[in-house]
Amino acid sequence: MADVPPAETGPPPRSTSELFMSFAWISMQSFGGALAFIERTVVRDKRWLSPKEFLGLYAVSQVLPGPTGISFCVLLGDRFLGLRGAVAALAGFLLLPSMLIIGIAALFQQFQHVPQVQGALHGMGAASVGLIVTTAARMARTLRGQRIGIAVAVLSFAAVGLGRLPVSTVMLTLGVLSVWLAWRSHPQ
C-alpha cells in the first residue's frame, strides 16, 4: 500500500456499473479472502483511495458485524455514489461468486474424496495465507512513525494470535482504547 502516495489518488468511480464491475472482478479473483484484491484494486489500480483512507475504511469494516469484505463494499460504494453505489458494489461482490459456489458445491459433493481434490484444497489454503501476510505487511507500512498505532497492532496480534482471546473482545477493548488515546494525543 505504501506504493501510492495519498496525493496521487485518482478520480472516484464514475458510475454504479463501474463499481459493480470492479467488485465483480475482485470477487472472482479472491479465492480465500478478498482483502488483498480489494486493496490492489481500490488503492493501487483504480486509486480511488489513498493507503491511509483504505486503512481507515478497512478498520471501520472490520468492527462492523458480518464479513469485512461485504462491509467494505457497502461503505466504499456509499462513500462515492450513495445507496445506489453501495448496492452496486455489494451486488458485484456477491452475484457471480454465489452462482459459482453453488456450482462448485454440487461438483465437490461428487469428488470430495478424490486425493487430488483434497491436495488442491490444501494448496489453495497455503496461497491464501501468503496473500494475507502480504496485505498485512502493506497495511502495516501505513503505521510507520505512529507509536500508538503500532502498539495497538502488536497488542491485537498478541491478544488474538498468541493469547487466543475472542476477536470481538479484543476489537471492542482496543477500539475504545485507540479512540481514547487518539483523543488524548490530539486535544481540541
Side-chain angles (χ1 to χ4, degrees):
M1 278 189 336
D3 306 334
V4 182
E8 292 187 21
T9 56
R14 295 177 297 274
S15 65
T16 55
S17 61
E18 184 178 7
L19 275 171
F20 178 89
M21 294 304 293
S22 295
F23 279 98
W25 177 246
I26 288 167
S27 68
M28 293 308 292
Q29 299 176 74
S30 55
F31 291 85
L35 177 60
F37 299 99
I38 292 173
E39 184 271 333
R40 184 182 69 205
T41 301
V42 171
V43 175
R44 292 187 280 145
D45 295 346
K46 301 280 186 183
R47 297 183 184 268
W48 289 340
L49 298 175
S50 70
K52 196 173 228 171
E53 290 169 325
F54 175 82
L55 187 60
L57 199 59
Y58 178 74
V60 172
S61 302
Q62 186 75 29
V63 298
L64 294 174
T68 303
I70 289 175
S71 298
F72 190 92
C73 291
V74 171
L75 291 172
L76 183 89
D78 181 69
R79 175 182 178 149
F80 290 119
L81 296 170
L83 180 60
R84 292 177 333 143
V87 170
L90 182 61
F93 195 65
L94 293 177
L95 185 63
L96 294 175
S98 296
M99 293 187 310
L100 183 63
I101 288 168
I102 290 169
I104 289 173
L107 283 174
F108 183 72
Q109 208 161 30
Q110 296 296 316
F111 299 103
Q112 64 185 328
H113 300 293
V114 175
Q116 291 85 350
V117 172
Q118 293 174 353
L121 291 175
H122 288 294
M124 286 186 247
S128 295
V129 169
L131 290 172
I132 291 167
V133 168
T134 300
T135 303
R138 281 195 196 116
M139 291 174 72
R141 288 183 201 146
T142 63
L143 295 176
R144 224 179 257 147
Q146 299 179 29
R147 291 189 340 235
I148 293 172
I150 292 168
V152 170
V154 169
L155 285 171
S156 177
F157 174 78
V160 176
L162 303 175
R164 303 204 182 270
L165 295 174
V167 172
S168 56
T169 302
V170 173
M171 292 297 293
L172 180 61
T173 304
L174 291 179
V176 170
L177 177 64
S178 296
V179 169
W180 181 76
L181 289 171
W183 179 75
R184 287 211 33 174
S185 67
H186 295 52
Q188 296 295 346

